[in-house]
Amino acid sequence: MKGKSKVGILSLGCPRNLVDSEYVLGRLSARGHSIVDIDKAEIAIVNTCAFVDDAKRESIEAILDLIALKKEKKLKKIVVYGCLAQRYKDVLRRELPEIDAFVGRVSLNHSRNRFPITPRQYAYVKIAEGCVRRCSFCVIPGIKGTFRSLDMRTALETIEALDKSGISELNIIGQDITSYGLDLYGEHRLPGLLKEALKVISHARWVRLLYLYPDGITDELLEVIRNDPRICRYIDVPVQHINARVLKRMNRKTSKGDILKTIARVRSAIPGAAIRTSVIVGFPSETDKEFEELLDFIRAARFERLGAFMYSREESTPAYHFKGQVPEKVKQERFNTLMQAQQEISKEYNRQFLGNTIEVIIDEKTKDGYIGRSQYDAPEVDGTVYVRSKKALRPGDFARVRVIDTLEYDLVAEAFL
C-alpha cells in the first residue's frame, strides 16, 4: 500500500485467522497506516474462511457488502485475504472485478508487530500452521499447506510478550497442537513447550489448549495439565465420529477403541475436566444405524461441551468423490436429533453447579451485570456465566461467584463481595 491510509479489517472464521489479522494490522500500523473500524476505512481487508459451505457464504456476503460500499464511494480499495483467496482467487478475480488485491497463504513466522483486535483480557498464540493429518473431508492441508511448527524460541518470546501485555487468559491454538514440534524436532514437543511457557507466564491466570488430536493426548501431556492449575481443565479433542467404518472412510488415524481409551484416560488423569469435542453427521454413506451408534456414544460419553456439524461436500477433498452422499434433509434431521440429545446432557451437567462456588473471568459489562466464563468455556465458543455483582468489575477480572440458576448452556451467578 502506497501512502498512508485508513485501514480496517473484517476477520472471519476461527481464532487462527484472527491471529493472522492481528499481524497484518501490526505490519500496516508499523508502516504508518491508521487502523480504524471497518466503517471508517478507506481500505478494507476481509480475512476470509473457506472451511465449509456456511463459512464460504459468510465470506462472500461480507465481500459483497464491501463492494456495495465501494460503489457508494465509501471505500477506495478492497483486499481479500486468507482461505477464500487461497482457494478461489481465480474465480473471485473473474466474478468480482471490484476486488483490488488477493492475499492467500502466509508464513507462520509473522513479524513482531501485532495490533490486538481481541478484547484486552485474552489473546491467542498460534504455534502451528497447516495439518499433518489427511482427513478425507478436510480442505485445511490444501489451503494451509503442510504442517509447520513455530520454533520454540519464537513461540516462547511471543507468549512472554502477550503475557506482559496484561492479558488474563492465553489461548494456545493450532489445527492440531499435539503435533507441535514433529517437523522441527522429530518428536512431540507440546508438553515441553508448555513447561517452558509456564516459566515465563507471570500475569495470565489461565492457559487454554485448543485442538488436541486424540492420539496426541499422551500421559506426559495430561501430567503437565494436571500439575499446573493455570492450565484450564478443558480438553478440546475433536473425534468426528465413533463408527469404525466411518472413521476409516474419514481417514482418521484413531479407532473407536482408541477414542474410548483416550476419554477414559482424560477422565482418570484430570477429574472434573470438561471435555469438548466435535462430530460430523451425514458423512457420505453414513447409515441410520451408524448415526444411531454415534448418538448412543454421545449419550454415553456425556461430553461437557460438543459442537456438531453437517458434512460439507468440499471439492479437492477425497470425500467429495465418495458415493452415497447423504441428502441435506437427512443431514439436518440427524443434526437436530444429536443436538437435542446434547442439550439435555448440557442441562444436566450445568445443574451440578447450582449452589456451588466457581471462579469466572469477566468478559464484558452489561446493563444488568456482567458476562463471564468459567475455565470450562473457551472465548466465543462455549457457554457464559451471567454475573450479578454489587462490586464494580472490569473485563479481565477474576471473580468468585455462587451459581444461583442454570440454563441449557449458561449459568447465572452472584459475585461475592
Side-chain angles (χ1 to χ4, degrees), residues 120-172:
R120 69 178 185 87
Q121 66 269 23
Y122 63 82
Y124 298 96
V125 57
K126 182 164 60 172
I127 63 169
E129 187 66 280
C131 191
V132 72
R133 317 289 175 175
R134 288 293 185 271
C135 300
S136 64
F137 55 83
C138 186
V139 298
I140 292 296
I143 296 175
K144 297 293 188 180
T146 57
F147 183 80
R148 306 177 307 284
S149 301
L150 191 63
D151 69 274
M152 191 170 291
R153 178 179 177 180
T154 303
L156 291 172
E157 288 175 351
T158 304
I159 289 169
E160 186 171 17
L162 289 172
D163 183 69
K164 287 182 177 178
S165 72
I167 59 170
S168 299
E169 176 183 359
L170 177 71
N171 296 274
I172 297 176

Side-chain angles (χ1 to χ4, degrees), residues 6-154:
K6 294 179 180 178
V7 182
I9 197 164
L10 181 60
S11 192
L12 306 176
C14 66
R16 300 186 298 279
N17 268 13
L18 192 146
V19 172
D20 293 338
S21 296
E22 292 187 336
Y23 280 113
V24 168
L25 293 180
R27 289 196 295 270
L28 292 173
S29 178
R31 293 172 186 170
H33 298 286
S34 299
I35 309 303
V36 298
D37 291 338
I38 200 80
D39 59 346
K40 297 180 176 66
E42 298 171 302
I43 299 174
I45 303 170
V46 55
N47 191 355
T48 57
C49 180
F51 184 51
V52 293
D53 284 341
D54 286 346
K56 286 184 282 188
R57 278 193 290 270
E58 182 185 29
S59 295
I60 292 296
E61 288 171 2
I63 293 169
L64 293 175
D65 288 343
L66 294 177
I67 287 174
L69 292 176
K70 186 179 181 183
K71 289 179 177 178
E72 295 171 6
K73 308 297 184 183
K74 295 179 180 179
L75 273 178
K76 292 182 179 179
K77 293 185 177 181
I78 300 170
V79 178
V80 176
Y81 179 85
C83 297
L84 198 75
Q86 178 69 31
R87 195 174 177 193
Y88 299 109
K89 180 175 68 174
D90 292 339
V91 176
L92 292 170
R93 179 179 284 128
R94 183 175 64 249
E95 299 294 330
L96 300 173
E98 298 88 351
I99 298 171
D100 297 280
F102 298 89
V103 182
R105 188 182 301 162
V106 294
S107 170
L108 176 63
N109 288 297
H110 300 288
S111 68
R112 293 182 180 275
N113 299 307
R114 186 169 179 171
F115 189 96
I117 55 177
T118 53
R120 69 178 185 87
Q121 66 269 23
Y122 63 82
Y124 298 96
V125 57
K126 182 164 60 172
I127 63 169
E129 187 66 280
C131 191
V132 72
R133 317 289 175 175
R134 288 293 185 271
C135 300
S136 64
F137 55 83
C138 186
V139 298
I140 292 296
I143 296 175
K144 297 293 188 180
T146 57
F147 183 80
R148 306 177 307 284
S149 301
L150 191 63
D151 69 274
M152 191 170 291
R153 178 179 177 180
T154 303

Side-chain angles (χ1 to χ4, degrees), residues 132-135 213 215 247 250-255 258:
V132 72
R133 317 289 175 175
R134 288 293 185 271
C135 300
Y213 198 85
D215 68 9
L247 286 170
M250 287 180 166
N251 200 32
R252 299 289 285 179
K253 302 305 182 184
T254 51
S255 67
D258 293 334

